[in-house]
Amino acid sequence: MTVDAIRTIGVLGAGTMGNGIAHVFARSGYNVILRDVETRFLDRAMDTIGGNLDREVKKGKIDESDKPKILGRIHATIEMSAMARADFAVEAVPERLDLKLAVLQEADKLLRPEVLLASNTSSISVTSLAAATTRPDRFIGMHFMNPVPVMVLIEVIRALQTSDETFHTTMTLCERIEKKPVAVNDAPGFISNRVLMPMINEAAFSVMEGVATAEAVDAIMKLGMNHPMGPLELADFIGLDVCVNILDVLYTGFGDSKYRACPLLRKMVAAGWLGRKSGRGFFKYATH
Ligand SMILES: NC(=O)c1ccc[n+]([C@@H]2O[C@H](COP(=O)([O-])OP(=O)(O)OC[C@H]3O[C@@H](n4cnc5c(N)ncnc54)[C@H](O)[C@@H]3O)[C@@H](O)[C@H]2O)c1
């Protein structure tokens, strides 16, 4: 499949990442088939996209008249069979291996043979996901960053089986949606989480050991290292449960104790202090 032949993008999952992925493809002129399991998830996704487009109108990033055109390009559906029309597909269902395998295998049966299939997984081996499909050479990782309409990076992950053609088409497609793709090979945590999570973990160990408060750790990294957000505020934003899961992937994937999740992180997750989404993590947040 050449990049010029790609007109319609299938997006599996309309959650935090899926709605953002649909948004950026539709904004760049692609038709999008956005699939989730229940209508209420699709309604919520379309509301979010509408709100985010309003923000882009206010910022002057898009014209007011573009909004209905962009929304009009997104076809929200609960019918998996609609994927048969996609020229490229991106999977963004929750980070559970069993669920991803089921959704990818279902999509694999419906997509035309030449269509490329990408996963937005943040920690599962892209090589093992590729192996579960009948198109391992046409499978690739496309790790979008949250919030998708704002963040320019896409970490493009080559599975062991990914062909050069699949890789080049995907890199060009990323550029067509005004993103900056950066290529890495498949390995636990890819690059983003392999580098980020040990920093977050070390910050949590420092708090647990009483070396500094969470406020102090974040202030040092912001003021001293010019990070826009401290590691603990970022951990709260990502979700402490998600951080622990990714650390566990690194720990088991490399078999190296340096990736052992900080016991304080585990304890906070056990308490339900998951970060911003639960109203409390290293910091407190207003809940609505
Ligand atoms: N949230 C982030 O910051 C972030 C960043 C990068 C990558 N990711 C990855 O993106 C993926 C999605 O994460 P998310 O945060 O958007 O999750 P989410 O829970 O917000 O959304 C997932 C959506 O998938 C839907 N879904 C479940 N089963 C489905 C099926 N069979 N078919 C279609 N849709 C189905 C759910 O109903 C839900 O709406 C995960 O692999 C995650 O690791 C997340």
Side-chain angles (χ1 to χ4, degrees):
M1 183 71 129
T2 64
V3 75
D4 291 330
I6 299 172
R7 298 265 142 89
T8 300
I9 311 291
V11 180
L12 297 153
T16 309
M17 300 305 287
N19 82 61
I21 295 167
H23 176 139
V24 295
F25 275 107
R27 189 173 68 193
S28 294
Y30 289 92
N31 298 314
V32 175
I33 303 161
L34 180 60
R35 196 262 168 166
D36 208 301
V37 284
E38 287 184 40
T39 315
R40 65 191 167 106
F41 299 138
L42 293 167
D43 293 344
R44 187 188 55 192
M46 294 308 287
D47 279 354
T48 303
I49 296 169
N52 288 340
L53 288 171
D54 285 338
R55 205 166 304 141
E56 291 182 352
V57 171
K58 272 198 202 111
K59 282 192 194 153
K61 190 164 180 180
I62 58 167
D63 207 73
E64 178 121 46
S65 61
D66 292 333
K67 184 186 165 187
K69 289 184 210 151
I70 294 170
L71 287 173
R73 287 189 204 112
I74 304 174
H75 171 60
T77 179
I78 55 167
E79 300 300 335
M80 188 64 156
S81 56
M83 282 299 138
R85 287 192 286 114
D87 304 318
F88 187 99
V90 186
E91 168 277 312
V93 303
E95 190 78 348
R96 276 183 24 219
L97 182 62
D98 56 337
L99 186 61
K100 293 232 186 253
L101 290 178
V103 171
L104 289 170
Q105 284 171 343
E106 207 183 341
D108 185 35
K109 283 196 196 107
L110 290 161
L111 295 167
R112 298 193 309 283
E114 69 274 24
V115 170
L116 308 187
L117 180 52
S119 172
N120 185 47
T121 181
S122 31
S123 62
I124 297 172
S125 157
V126 178
T127 301
S128 59
L129 294 177
T133 70
T134 61
R135 62 187 81 222
D137 56 318
R138 281 146 288 150
F139 196 94
I140 196 158
M142 252 178 134
H143 189 202
F144 287 83
M145 303 290 133
N146 184 23
V148 181
V150 178
M151 302 292 283
V152 291
L153 175 69
I154 300 177
E155 192 177 24
V156 174
I157 302 119
R158 285 189 80 143
L160 188 59
Q161 311 94 316
T162 306
S163 70
D164 286 347
E165 195 189 340
T166 299
F167 170 67
H168 291 302
T169 301
T170 306
M171 294 292 279
T172 308
L173 187 63
C174 292
E175 284 161 6
R176 298 248 168 120
I177 56 172
E178 289 167 53
K179 299 288 180 197
K180 295 259 184 282
V182 179
V184 307
N185 289 319
D186 189 23
F190 317 133
I191 288 298
S192 50
N193 283 319
R194 182 177 183 167
V195 174
L196 174 64
M197 287 301 156
M199 181 179 69
I200 287 176
N201 207 33
E202 209 54 42
F205 270 113
S206 307
V207 173
M208 186 181 80
E209 292 167 9
V211 180
T213 61
E215 287 80 4
V217 170
D218 273 15
I220 287 164
M221 298 307 287
K222 280 196 282 190
L223 300 173
M225 318 302 154
N226 238 0
H227 290 194
M229 204 187 255
L232 297 172
E233 186 187 355
L234 182 55
D236 279 355
F237 180 73
I238 294 168
L240 302 189
D241 52 338
V242 175
C243 292
V244 169
N245 286 343
I246 297 173
L247 282 161
D248 285 343
V249 167
L250 292 169
Y251 181 78
T252 48
F254 289 110
D256 188 335
S257 63
K258 78 175 174 183
Y259 299 108
R260 170 177 81 107
C262 172
L264 176 62
L265 280 175
R266 287 199 194 279
K267 206 193 262 187
M268 292 173 78
V269 170
W273 298 357
L274 306 181
R276 193 175 278 272
K277 64 187 167 191
S278 71
R280 180 166 185 174
F282 284 97
F283 304 101
K284 288 191 177 144
Y285 304 90
T287 44
H288 17 252

